């Protein structure tokens, strides 16, 4: 649970100064948005809204926390502590774009309204909850795009994530961004249990196998105590599964098309695979690169898989964690297909080939260009740490107080805020793709289907275009009304948020999505809002004097 103390000290110093000046209950409006899409792309996936709403619902400072704040603000009055004791979010309203949506710079992801003393204390927690979540979800979506729809994507990053919270959050938002599962790490490896925790907390599917440590821990068949395997239908029993595996290994070794690929395999690896298959006959997936993939790992896997097949079980496949993944995956597929053909085992050539080993967008793209036979990618470090970009850079800016629009100016035009309480719309073209997002003043009429509308760049006078929308979607919806009885949007389950994300990404124009030199998506303001921005800009900017 996130505490209100997850805050910068200056939020509390400002809250005290607001209170001291009698401004703490003034009605304020803040926008939470970002200025630039991450990873050199032209889109972002919005995530973290659910956690923000949960934070609002549980917002309350304890007496112990209030005492700590008082000690951190020397000279603060005791009456301020009484004010903090009464703080809650009953007077706050939150309007947001639905979680899982594709979003763009400058457009508010969330609009937060309420007493300025309270809303100021929401800035740091909201930014913390949205920045990382949206960054990871976007990173996951980018990996999904380059891998393609047909591939299975597994999040493997718990051991490399920034602490337990980072591991659990990354699993959740990778799934939201289009990954299929998180890795289930079994009893023989202590690392990665946070993935299992994420599966439990969020209902994310779990996938997993064993590690190199498991393979190398075995020495001989004497270590397998229970060699009995009951058939999948329960009708027959193999009293010595180990011997059956050895029989199949011999058949593979002397198969005409496979002769010469290997001679003697590593027997401790064979024992490890056999032991694992006895433990998980319905979910046998082996890590085959502990010693030598083609001369040991693959023949040993096939022997165990064929023995399982005799008793009605179907092995899942293999994982490659090192080497030339394009070459090895192709050779493994050829080996499986040869076993299917030579030993008359239908479907054996369709074993799942999973690849891992510090994969990222670039390596997957390179594998696609080389040609490979990988069915599933396990991606860890580069995914959950967002190695290519450390942070998204969301900001939380005051845009109105007491019904008076406010603007933040800067010599860097990208840091100039867009003032006043706004409404945001997505305009769609004839082909069904989004054309432009437009912001208008709160009281302006909404864009209408079939009516020509002038869309202007907020700060570049020459960038403007007319749009005749074929569909208009209002983006901001109310997710929190404090104590008000009016209706608000319900938070959907994670699976629905994920489905929304996938659908929105599929509905984007391909040139906005490509990895290299994507076309920028247009974000605009109405002509009326454009004029007001520049009026307020000139009104607030000091006029210099030349000496």
């Amino acid at each position: 649970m996130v505490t209100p103390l997850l805050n910068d000290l200056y939020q509390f110093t400002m809250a005290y100064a607001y209170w001291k000046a009698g401004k703490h209950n003034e009605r304020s409006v803040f926008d939470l948005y970002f200025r630039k899409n991450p990873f050199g792309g032209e889109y972002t996936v919005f995530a973290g809204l659910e956690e923000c709403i949960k934070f609002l619902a549980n917002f309350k400072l304890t007496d112990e926390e209030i005492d700590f704040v008082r000690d951190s603000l020397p000279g603060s009055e005791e009456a301020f502590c009484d004010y903090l004791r009464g703080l809650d979010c009953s007077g706050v309203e939150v309007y947001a774009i639905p979680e899982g949506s594709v979003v763009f710079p400058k457009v508010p992801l969330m609009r937060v309204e309420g007493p300025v003393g309270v809303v100021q204390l929401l800035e740091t927690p909201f930014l913390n909850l949205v920045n990382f979540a949206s960054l990871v979800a976007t990173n996951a979506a980018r990996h999904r795009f380059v891998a393609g729809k047909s591939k299975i994507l597994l999040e493997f990053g718990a051991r490399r994530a920034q602490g337990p919270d980072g591991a659990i959050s990354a699993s959740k938002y990778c799934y939201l961004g289009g990954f299929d599962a998180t890795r289930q790490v079994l009893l023989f490896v202590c690392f990665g249990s946070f993935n299992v925790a994420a599966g439990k907390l969020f209902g994310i599917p779990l996938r997993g196998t064993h590690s190199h440590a498991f393979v190398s821990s075995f020495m001989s068949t004497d270590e397998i105590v229970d060699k009995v395997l009951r058939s999948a239908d329960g009708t027959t029993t193999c009293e010595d599964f180990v011997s059956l595996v050895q029989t199949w290994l011999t058949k593979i070794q002397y198969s005409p098309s496979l002769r010469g690929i290997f001679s003697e395999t590593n027997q401790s690896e064979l024992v490890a695979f056999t032991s694992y298959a006895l433990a998980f006959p319905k979910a046998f997936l082996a890590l085959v690169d502990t010693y030598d993939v083609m001369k040991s790992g693959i023949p040993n896997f096939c022997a165990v898989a064929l023995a399982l097949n005799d008793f009605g079980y179907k092995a899942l496949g293999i994982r490659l964690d090192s080497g030339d993944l394009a070459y090895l995956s192709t050779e493994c597929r050829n080996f499986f297909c040869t076993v299917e053909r030579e030993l008359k085992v239908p479907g054996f050539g369709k074993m799942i080939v999973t690849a891992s080993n510090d994969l990222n967008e670039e390596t997957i793209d390179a594998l696609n260009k080389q040609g490979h036979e990988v069915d599933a990618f396990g991606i860890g470090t580069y995914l959950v740490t967002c190695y290519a970009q450390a942070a998204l850079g969301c900001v939380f800016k005051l845009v109105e107080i007491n019904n008076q629009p406010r603007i933040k100016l800067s010599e860097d035009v990208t840091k100039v805020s867009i003032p006043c309480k706004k409404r945001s719309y997505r305009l769609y073209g004839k082909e069904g793709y989004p054309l432009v997002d437009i912001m208008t003043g709160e009281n302006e009429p909404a864009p209408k289907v079939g009516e020509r509308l002038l869309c202007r760049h907020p700060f570049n006078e020459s960038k403007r275009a007319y749009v005749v929308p074929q569909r208009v979607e209002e983006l901001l919806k109310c997710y929190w009304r404090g104590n008000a009885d009016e209706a608000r949007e319900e938070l959907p389950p994670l699976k629905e948020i994920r489905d929304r994300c996938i659908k929105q990404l599929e509905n984007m124009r391909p040139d906005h999505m490509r990895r290299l030199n994507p076309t920028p998506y247009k974000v605009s303001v109405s002509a009326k809002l454009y004029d007001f921005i520049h009026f307020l800009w000139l009104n607030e900017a000091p006029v210099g004097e030349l000496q």
Side-chain angles (χ1 to χ4, degrees):
M1 186 68 66
V2 178
T3 168
L5 288 191
L6 179 65
N7 241 312
D8 297 301
L9 178 61
Y10 83 163
Q11 308 293 6
F12 283 99
T13 60
M14 285 189 287
Y16 181 71
Y18 286 139
W19 175 83
K20 188 74 173 170
K23 288 177 61 69
H24 54 288
N25 284 325
E26 291 183 4
R27 192 74 180 176
S28 62
V29 180
F30 285 77
D31 284 347
L32 189 154
Y33 61 94
F34 61 96
R35 297 181 175 123
K36 185 178 181 181
N37 288 303
F39 309 114
E42 286 298 337
Y43 68 92
T44 300
V45 175
F46 174 41
L49 174 62
E50 179 184 18
E51 298 302 320
C52 290
I53 300 304
K54 288 180 179 178
F55 177 76
L56 290 174
N58 294 284
F59 183 93
K60 195 71 179 174
L61 283 155
T62 67
D63 288 340
E64 183 180 355
E65 290 171 334
I66 291 169
D67 290 343
F68 182 80
V69 171
R70 179 183 54 210
D71 294 342
S72 301
L73 300 175
S76 59
E77 298 176 25
E78 187 61 33
F80 177 65
C81 296
D82 296 334
Y83 164 70
L84 292 179
R85 283 188 190 91
L87 278 188
D88 59 26
C89 292
S90 59
V92 174
E93 294 182 25
V94 173
Y95 297 80
I97 298 175
E99 189 164 10
S101 297
V102 176
V103 291
F104 303 98
K106 290 290 186 183
V107 179
L109 307 179
M110 299 171 65
R111 187 179 79 215
V112 187
E113 305 176 25
V116 66
V118 179
V119 176
Q120 194 73 71
L121 293 176
L122 301 178
E123 176 178 0
T124 301
F126 276 15
L127 291 174
N128 178 273
L129 292 169
V130 170
N131 264 312
F132 180 68
S134 300
L135 189 70
V136 172
T138 306
N139 202 17
R142 291 178 62 84
H143 281 80
R144 166 54 71 193
F145 180 77
V146 73
K149 296 179 185 178
S150 64
K151 302 302 180 185
I152 299 169
L153 294 185
L154 309 173
E155 178 268 305
F156 270 23
R159 66 185 64 191
R160 305 280 166 76
Q162 287 93 337
D165 292 341
I168 293 175
S169 295
S171 291
K172 176 181 180 179
Y173 296 116
C174 287
Y175 180 67
L176 186 157
F179 270 57
D180 295 290
T182 184
R183 174 165 60 178
Q184 179 182 18
V185 181
L186 299 169
L187 297 178
F188 2 91
V189 185
C190 62
F191 297 104
S193 60
F194 298 115
N195 301 72
V196 181
K200 179 179 181 296
L201 287 170
F202 309 121
I204 302 171
L206 293 169
R207 297 283 181 87
T209 177
H210 55 77
S211 72
H212 297 108
F214 180 76
V215 175
S216 58
S217 71
F218 284 84
M219 302 292 289
S220 73
T221 56
D222 296 337
E223 296 175 71
I224 301 179
V225 177
D226 186 358
K227 302 178 182 180
V228 177
L229 178 70
R230 186 174 295 277
S231 64
D233 60 12
T235 58
T236 58
T237 301
C238 176
E239 297 296 336
D240 193 351
F241 184 69
V242 175
S243 297
L244 182 61
V245 170
Q246 288 287 355
T247 300
W248 272 113
L249 184 62
T250 302
K251 289 181 180 180
I252 296 170
Q253 189 171 6
Y254 290 101
S255 173
S257 299
L258 298 174
R259 190 175 297 159
I261 294 180
F262 70 99
S263 53
E264 291 186 4
T265 64
N266 184 293
Q267 289 300 293
S268 64
E269 180 183 58
L270 182 64
V271 173
F273 288 176
T274 304
S275 176
Y276 193 81
L278 284 166
F280 299 98
K282 296 179 181 179
F284 177 54
L285 192 149
L287 179 60
V288 295
D289 67 340
T290 302
Y291 300 110
D292 188 291
V293 174
M294 298 310 301
K295 294 179 180 178
S296 182
I298 291 300
N300 282 338
F301 165 79
C302 289
V304 176
L306 289 166
L308 285 172
N309 188 71
D310 284 346
F311 283 80
Y313 298 102
K314 182 174 175 56
L316 297 181
I318 63 163
R319 178 162 72 95
L320 300 167
D321 193 46
S322 60
D324 185 334
L325 298 177
Y327 169 77
L328 287 174
S329 65
T330 303
E331 290 299 300
C332 291
R333 181 71 66 206
N334 292 339
F335 199 104
F336 296 151
C337 290
T338 302
V339 168
E340 177 177 348
R341 184 177 62 254
E342 292 283 326
L343 302 178
K344 306 294 189 294
V345 186
F348 200 89
K350 296 180 180 178
M351 288 288 177
I352 293 174
V353 177
T354 301
S356 50
N357 187 29
D358 277 345
L359 299 178
N360 56 31
E361 279 188 74
E362 287 72 24
T363 53
I364 295 173
D365 189 42
L367 285 170
N368 290 340
K369 291 173 181 176
Q370 294 171 55
H372 64 85
E373 287 292 331
V374 176
D375 302 297
F377 293 103
I379 308 171
T381 304
Y382 288 88
L383 177 68
V384 303
T385 65
C386 296
Y387 191 90
Q389 180 167 329
L392 176 58
C394 287
V395 294
F396 193 81
K397 296 299 180 184
L398 178 71
V399 296
E400 186 174 292
I401 191 161
N402 290 337
N403 296 316
Q404 296 299 310
R406 309 308 298 148
I407 189 170
K408 189 268 180 193
L409 300 180
S410 173
E411 292 181 3
D412 180 356
V413 72
T414 63
K415 291 192 172 186
V416 175
S417 64
I418 298 177
C420 78
K421 187 191 295 188
K422 298 173 288 294
R423 299 173 74 177
S424 304
Y425 303 90
R426 185 157 295 171
L427 310 183
Y428 292 81
K430 292 180 180 179
E431 296 179 343
Y433 295 125
L435 289 177
V436 61
D437 284 7
I438 185 170
M439 290 171 276
T440 71
E442 183 192 24
N443 296 319
E444 288 188 58
K448 294 180 180 179
V449 172
E451 288 192 7
R452 194 168 77 151
L453 176 70
L454 179 61
C455 299
R456 304 202 61 169
H457 187 284
F459 307 118
N460 190 324
E461 186 175 10
S462 65
K463 290 186 177 181
R464 53 187 179 170
Y466 284 105
V467 175
V468 181
Q470 302 305 301
R471 181 162 75 90
V472 177
E473 177 189 7
E474 184 160 10
L475 297 177
L476 292 172
K477 304 179 187 301
C478 184
Y479 283 90
W480 182 263
R481 289 191 187 273
N483 285 339
D485 294 329
E486 298 176 51
R488 67 185 188 194
E489 299 291 321
E490 295 296 324
L491 293 170
L494 181 59
K495 178 65 167 59
E496 287 186 23
I497 298 172
R498 179 180 185 270
D499 291 343
R500 176 184 184 84
C501 174
I502 292 171
K503 184 177 179 180
Q504 288 229 334
L505 290 166
E506 289 175 346
N507 197 40
M508 291 300 298
R509 214 170 65 199
D511 57 312
H512 295 311
M513 302 292 293
R514 63 192 177 208
R515 285 191 64 244
L516 298 177
N517 302 316
T519 302
Y521 182 83
K522 293 178 176 59
V523 172
S524 66
V525 297
S526 65
K528 188 174 181 179
L529 182 55
Y530 175 89
D531 290 340
F532 182 73
I533 291 169
H534 291 268
F535 164 77
L536 192 61
W537 189 334
L538 292 175
N539 193 55
E540 295 289 344
V543 179
E545 182 177 329
L546 299 178
Q547 298 291 335

